Amino acid sequence: MTVWDDLQGQPAVVEQLRQASVGDGLTHAWLFTGPPGSGRSNAAKAFAAALNCDQDDVRLRGCGECAACHTILGETHSDVTFVRTEKVTITIDEARDLVSTAGNRPSSGRWRIIVVEDADRMAERTTNVLLKAIEEPTPRTIWMLCAPSPADVLVTIRSRCRAVALRLPPAADVAALLVKRDGVEPDLAERAARAAQSHVGIARRLARDPEARERRLETVRFPLGLRGVTAAVMMADKLVKIATAEANSSNEERDAAEKAALLATLGAPESGTLPPPMRSQVRQLEEDQKRRAKRSITDSLDRTLTDLLSFYRDVLIIQLGNAVELVNVELRGELEDFAGRSTPEATLARMDAINKARERITTTNVAPLLTIESMAASLI
């Protein structure tokens, strides 16, 4: 198994990175772009592993078996720094720390590598902190930035990076990966990959979690019962609750584990009041967890709206003659009935309303419930 095996449906990208990892077209800064689920960060991680692979034979770089490959894929290699934010943005102080790290020579590998997985979540003044380091890189340092599209990164940054454009892999490739890597039954893997619209991470969760599959189906079926304003308000409330439950299910256990680990590190007493210095550190952790929870709920709500969007996407496909496969095949009968009672123009207007709600939720500080209520009313 090599480091490239998880990059399903990306043969052109794999070939580009393979060649660069042995020196053909290698440059000091890279920009990985592609829609959510396309594997931007996985591609950057695989590339980092291939660049610092222990194999002397260039034909074997990215072997996936050596110590360097294992530690980079596990994000524990001393020369490879991974940056992702679970808050709204990457802060300017975090960017300054990256610049400082980038100035160090590699300690054991060929390259010091900085992988910024959320380059689109940096304000302009934060991105400008990185500009000089990317313009005038330290020898043996490589930057890898990941973002949904080139437009999400300042032109001054992207003009200095070599572009790597990923696409969503075919659902069949995602299903094959679930079968091979996670041991999922082929039929379930195919359904999960299609429902996730080829998003590898979400397909894996749907394949492994029956409750997640049930929540998604409930979301997709909402338009079938949308008959008036009261139903729209109830639907909005339920959508927010589904997204919040989805986010909380992954955060609660993690938050508790982080707090327990911090208390153990501080040597906190098992009972009684914590000393003031310990209380301040616990309070800081809880504040960070609250910010992470807010980001997590926003991301979960965006995904919930993407699932809802798949209903109208299927309706539009039926209205236009079934040119491509449906996402929600199991609902074909209900989708066809819904499509027959509407027009393509009305369906496009509803899809536009959902996309506007997604944009407001992910880019502004609006109250999610009010935004979803307004969207739901426009779907009637």
Side-chain angles (χ1 to χ4, degrees):
M1 180 176 178
T2 72
V3 299
W4 311 108
D5 288 355
D6 282 356
L7 297 182
Q8 292 291 317
Q10 310 286 353
V13 168
V14 169
E15 182 59 25
Q16 178 186 8
L17 298 179
R18 276 186 189 275
Q19 293 295 325
S21 69
V22 298
D24 184 4
L26 182 62
T27 187
H28 69 283
W30 297 75
L31 178 58
F32 293 80
T33 61
S38 58
R40 301 184 301 260
S41 58
N42 285 344
K45 185 183 294 186
F47 186 32
L51 285 168
N52 273 344
C53 179
D54 289 334
Q55 295 288 349
D56 292 326
D57 188 340
V58 295
R59 294 171 298 178
L60 301 177
R61 296 276 169 82
C63 66
E65 302 293 336
C66 67
C69 284
H70 275 294
T71 53
I72 293 171
L73 295 179
E75 301 188 12
T76 59
H77 195 284
S78 60
D79 292 327
V80 183
T81 301
F82 292 91
V83 182
R84 60 181 68 89
T85 182
E86 291 169 325
K87 297 174 284 187
V88 177
T89 59
I90 294 174
T91 67
I92 196 165
D93 288 337
E94 289 172 316
R96 288 179 178 135
D97 288 341
L98 290 181
V99 172
S100 177
T101 299
N104 299 327
R105 291 186 62 82
S107 58
S108 60
R110 298 180 187 86
W111 303 95
R112 177 162 297 281
I113 300 171
I114 311 291
V115 181
V116 184
E117 295 187 8
D118 299 300
D120 56 311
R121 291 186 179 267
M122 289 190 289
E124 182 174 346
R125 63 192 293 263
T126 303
T127 308
N128 284 332
V129 171
L130 303 183
L131 182 58
K132 185 172 178 61
I134 293 177
E135 280 183 323
E136 302 173 10
T138 305
R140 315 307 298 174
T141 294
I142 294 177
W143 289 85
M144 299 183 189
L145 311 181
C146 305
S149 75
D152 293 312
V153 179
L154 284 181
V155 65
T156 49
I157 292 286
R158 68 174 183 259
S159 65
R160 290 161 174 81
C161 297
R162 183 172 178 185
V164 180
L166 291 91
R167 62 186 180 93
L168 281 175
D173 287 350
V174 175
L177 177 63
L178 294 177
V179 172
K180 178 182 177 182
R181 186 186 65 186
D182 302 303
V184 178
E185 290 295 324
D187 181 61
L188 177 57
E190 189 273 331
R191 285 188 284 118
R194 189 180 65 250
Q197 299 178 67
S198 293
H199 189 301
V200 176
I202 292 173
R204 185 169 185 261
R205 178 170 55 80
L206 290 175
R208 300 176 64 177
D209 186 351
E211 291 183 1
R213 294 197 296 274
E214 186 60 33
R215 285 193 294 266
R216 181 192 176 278
L217 183 59
E218 184 180 4
T219 297
V220 173
R221 292 178 59 87
F222 269 132
L224 297 172
L226 204 55
R227 295 288 187 270
V229 175
T230 300
V233 171
M234 292 176 64
M235 170 182 140
D237 181 65
K238 189 65 175 178
L239 284 174
V240 173
K241 286 180 178 177
I242 287 174
T244 303
E246 190 80 9
N248 289 341
S249 67
S250 60
N251 283 337
E252 289 174 356
E253 185 176 341
R254 180 178 179 183
D255 288 352
E258 287 177 345
K259 186 173 182 179
L262 175 62
L263 292 175
T265 301
L266 296 174
E270 293 184 5
S271 61
T273 304
L274 293 175
M278 292 186 184
R279 286 203 300 270
S280 66
Q281 293 192 52
V282 171
R283 188 161 51 249
Q284 181 61 53
L285 173 64
E286 290 172 344
E287 289 173 358
D288 289 343
Q289 289 175 340
K290 286 179 182 177
R291 284 192 288 269
R292 181 173 69 199
K294 180 180 179 182
R295 158 83 185 269
S296 181
I297 290 172
T298 297
D299 289 347
S300 180
L301 188 53
D302 181 64
R303 185 62 217 179
T304 299
L305 293 181
T306 301
D307 290 333
L308 181 65
L309 193 62
S310 73
F311 175 92
Y312 293 104
R313 176 256 189 204
D314 285 350
V315 167
L316 184 63
I317 285 172
I318 292 170
Q319 290 171 332
L320 297 180
N322 291 290
V324 296
E325 186 179 15
L326 302 183
V327 171
N328 304 290
V329 175
E330 64 276 14
L331 299 179
R332 175 176 281 278
E334 292 162 300
L335 288 164
E336 289 177 343
D337 180 62
F338 190 97
R341 293 185 279 107
S342 182
T343 65
E345 291 78 12
T347 302
L348 285 170
R350 288 165 174 154
M351 294 175 73
D352 186 52
I354 295 173
N355 280 323
K356 285 180 179 177
R358 291 178 62 200
E359 183 178 359
R360 291 192 187 107
I361 287 169
T362 55
T363 62
T364 68
N365 269 331
V366 297
L369 182 57
L370 292 178
T371 301
I372 302 304
E373 285 177 347
S374 174
M375 176 208 74
S378 67
L379 301 180
I380 299 173

